[in-house]
Amino acid sequence: MTSRLVLRMFLMISCLCPSFQQEPPFVYNGFDQAGNNLHLDGGARILPHGGALQLTNDTLRQMGHAFLQQPIDYNSSEPVSFSTHFVCALLPAGYASGHGMAFVVSQSTDFSHAEPTRFFGIFNTSSNESTPARVLAIELDTSLAPELKDISDNHVGIDVDSAVSKLSANASYFSDKEGRSIEIKLLSGDPIQVWVDYQGTTLNVTLAPLKTEKPSRPLLSSASINLTEIVQGRRMFFGFSGATGSIMSYQYVLGWSFSKTMATLQSIDISKLPKVDHPSNKHESSPLVLDALLSLIACLVLGLLVGVYMYRRNLYAEVREEWEKEYGPLRYSYKSLYKATKGFSKNEFLGRGGFGEVYRGTLSKSREVAVKRVSHEGEEGMKQFVAEIVCMRSLKHRSLVPLLGYCRRKRELLLVSEYMPNGSLDHYLFDHSITSLPWWRRLAIVKDIASALSYLHTEADQVVIHRDIKAANVMLDAEFNGRLGDFGMSRLYDRGADPTTTAAVGTVGYMAPELITMGPSTGTDVYAFGVFLLEVTCGRRPVESTLSAEKRFLVTWVCDCWRRSCLVDAKDPRLIEFSSGEVERVLKLGLLCANLVPDARPTMEQVVQYVNGNMALPEFWPHSPGIGVLTPMALSPARLTIPSPSLSSSSNNSMFVTHSVVYGSGR
Ligand SMILES: *[C@@H]1O[C@H](CO)[C@@H](O)[C@H](O)[C@H]1NC(C)=O
Ligand SMILES: *[C@@H]1O[C@H](CO)[C@@H](O)[C@H](O)[C@H]1NC(C)=O
Ligand SMILES: *[C@@H]1O[C@H](CO)[C@@H](O)[C@H](O)[C@H]1NC(C)=O
Ligand SMILES: *[C@@H]1O[C@H](CO)[C@@H](O)[C@H](O)[C@H]1NC(C)=O
Ligand SMILES: *[C@@H]1O[C@H](CO)[C@@H](O)[C@H](O)[C@H]1NC(C)=O
Ligand SMILES: *[C@@H]1O[C@H](CO)[C@@H](O)[C@H](O)[C@H]1NC(C)=O
Ligand SMILES: *[C@@H]1O[C@H](CO)[C@@H](O)[C@H](O)[C@H]1NC(C)=O
């Protein structure tokens, strides 16, 4: 009963005893359980997670000591010897880091006289043989101190009483596999294994990287170390010391095994060792490269973004001027047109007219429009043209193709008008692969166009001359009603030019002779309308160069037929059901309108009356003056290039005329 109580009390006392000393041999795989056994001072501390023993951090002129609480006593009958194995890691804290750490055997743990920096927190400047520090140190030195006779900034040394090493060597290990020494970088941050063995008077120091067996050859071996002499007795403290100066490193001990004899030394379990934050020396060694790389990437990304922005800006670039403000509501953004036409894609291409390419577009709310791109050199006259175009928007007639708005870009004008689902009339007349239109429909279209042209000539606020009446400019809506389009377009090409050159704009075969000398007038529109009547009825172009001489020119041929009293034979052979009276009336009206003498032509108001049968045609004959006579231009279209509008400085004009010549001379 009493013995139990005594045992209990003994256990309690021994547990409470703060200076409980773990006798060697011992091993620490991390120091989280070693707190009570170690005496720490300076910057030394055991890190909370994993238990790495940190001797120094990135504080200037710092010392850190970690010693066994109790000294180890050697009794008089046992030899003074020890074997130790520890794993340490030195991490750089900056581009040049120091100073290093040491394994220390010391007379006392009082280092109040010691200095940091190259003295490792154990020696001072006056430590030498005459004033000995009573210390044996194995230094892992990472800075070069020439006054201490250091051999390099990466060496291991045996120090006795002084920071001037008794023996030192560049850090390396002997690889038994390769049979040679391999350098070790102490300050790499990688864990390093160190073995220190002392027996008799021989002290061996061996290094190796982690996961490498202890090399058979030590790095340092000194045969003249008398430890009892150094520490002045058989009682000695074992531990570690580290120091920083103006250069710093994080210095850690991760595991420690210690024994009085080599045979009883326990091995360290590497897998249980704490990890320390590796400052990834790859990044450390190449911050400039990394910075450069990052800046390069940033530049590339920025460049790409700017490129995309510039591309889009350029893609959607428009020309907008002050005077256009009043037309604001009519202005379409290029971006919206670009999107509506799917980037002016081939699938949306409707056709090529004399003035540009036409595309189908779908604006928001699934509204279909036709977008015509008109190339245009220079800005001169543009203001007037846009003003006219916009003015034409006020023209309201059911047989006109409504203009919805416009957009301007550099060298380009875009006109947005209502989409005509059935395309232009010329396809139905000249393309024999398409079912031709019956007579009643052709007549209805002729009436539509006559009424529209009459409106332009008389009913609009000011006289509007179309200048380019032809089947190709007559559009068909969903119900096949004729709609006159493209009015005013030729205006774009005669701005500010000499009237004599101006005059020739139009399409060969439809151009009245006086255009050259007088310029466009309602009379020239009537002439073109006359040719239009003939082509609608006969289903052929005004000039077909492939046909025989007597048939080649529509006007003369129709007149010939009349002269031979078989006028109806001139009609389109594809017409089956028709009224001969109506066909004859329309053909005669065509010839009347295409009279060579301007004054002999009817006005559009009269034409509307004639075409509707409200008024009888005037009396005239195939041999009446001016009837069935060709315009000089139609006779020799090649000559047209000389007085052509190409003289008016625009390259588009010559392009246009070339096109017209090709058109006029038949396809
Ligand atoms: C470095 O160690 C000193 C002394 O232990 C401590 O006061 C300081 O806070 C530590 N610095 C850092 C950054 O941990
Ligand atoms: C000295 O220590 C050894 C082992 O530590 C022990 O075996 C021996 O008995 C001790 N001798 C004396 C005189 O205490
Ligand atoms: C040792 O240091 C003391 C004090 O600095 C000095 O007086 C002495 O000459 C030194 N001795 C040797 C051998 O360097
Ligand atoms: C250097 O350290 C020794 C003991 O190691 C001490 O006696 C001496 O006073 C110290 N010298 C200076 C200058 O601190
Ligand atoms: C130690 O390394 C340094 C450079 O790293 C070299 O200059 C020096 O010669 C080496 N010393 C020995 C003893 O190998
Ligand atoms: C020290 O190293 C030498 C050479 O390898 C070896 O012969 C000796 O036994 C070692 N001594 C100790 C105490 O490890
Ligand atoms: C070490 O030094 C002490 C005292 O100077 C001496 O008694 C002892 O014999 C020496 N030991 C060896 C192994 O030389």
Side-chain angles (χ1 to χ4, degrees), residues 197-199 202-204 214 216-218 221 262:
D197 300 298
Y198 175 70
Q199 198 175 12
T202 305
L203 182 79
N204 287 354
K214 184 182 179 184
S216 61
R217 287 192 209 168
S221 183
M262 205 191 281

Side-chain angles (χ1 to χ4, degrees), residues 271-476:
S271 65
K272 288 183 183 160
L273 294 182
K275 300 270 184 299
V276 288
D277 284 338
H278 200 296
S280 189
N281 46 348
K282 283 168 225 117
H283 289 177
E284 190 271 330
S285 63
S286 59
L288 289 175
V289 176
L290 197 74
D291 280 1
L293 202 73
L294 284 175
S295 342
L296 192 74
I297 290 169
C299 282
L300 282 176
V301 168
L302 198 73
L304 200 74
L305 287 177
V306 169
V308 167
Y309 173 75
M310 291 306 283
Y311 172 75
R312 287 177 68 94
R313 227 179 79 136
N314 206 28
L315 186 67
Y316 300 139
E318 292 177 24
V319 176
R320 249 176 228 268
E321 282 174 274
E322 193 63 23
W323 54 264
E324 286 178 78
K325 274 191 176 159
E326 56 180 301
Y327 310 130
L330 300 174
R331 178 91 197 208
Y332 282 81
S333 77
Y334 184 71
K335 193 175 173 178
S336 68
L337 298 182
Y338 188 89
K339 288 192 170 156
T341 57
K342 303 193 175 85
F344 295 97
S345 103
K346 275 182 190 159
N347 296 337
E348 305 298 310
F349 182 74
L350 292 176
R352 195 186 309 272
F355 297 94
E357 296 178 337
V358 189
Y359 294 85
R360 180 184 42 220
T362 309
L363 292 172
S364 55
K365 291 170 255 161
S366 66
R367 174 159 193 201
E368 286 197 305
V369 294
V371 181
K372 175 169 273 196
R373 303 180 80 164
V374 183
S375 324
H376 179 264
E377 291 286 334
E379 298 304 307
E380 163 204 358
M382 183 54 91
K383 182 175 176 175
Q384 190 198 353
F385 178 72
V386 170
E388 277 181 32
I389 293 272
V390 167
C391 176
M392 279 171 197
R393 212 180 152 264
S394 64
L395 302 176
K396 301 270 187 250
H397 189 277
R398 62 176 173 82
S399 296
L400 291 176
V401 177
L403 182 78
L404 302 174
Y406 77 103
C407 174
R408 276 179 69 206
R409 303 189 80 205
K410 207 175 175 190
R411 298 183 181 174
E412 200 173 35
L413 178 73
L414 294 107
L415 296 172
V416 184
S417 56
E418 215 161 81
Y419 174 66
M420 294 288 126
N422 285 313
S424 59
L425 175 63
D426 57 337
H427 292 115
Y428 298 89
L429 295 180
F430 310 139
D431 187 344
H432 288 253
S433 62
I434 299 175
T435 321
S436 73
L437 301 172
W439 172 249
W440 63 268
R441 182 148 270 164
R442 296 193 198 196
L443 189 61
I445 291 167
V446 160
K447 287 176 182 175
D448 289 336
I449 301 307
S451 128
L453 202 53
S454 170
Y455 169 80
L456 292 180
H457 285 184
T458 57
E459 289 165 53
D461 293 343
Q462 63 193 88
V463 174
V464 177
I465 299 166
H466 186 284
R467 295 157 191 250
D468 203 14
I469 308 282
K470 57 179 176 180
N473 281 341
V474 171
M475 310 302 292
L476 300 177

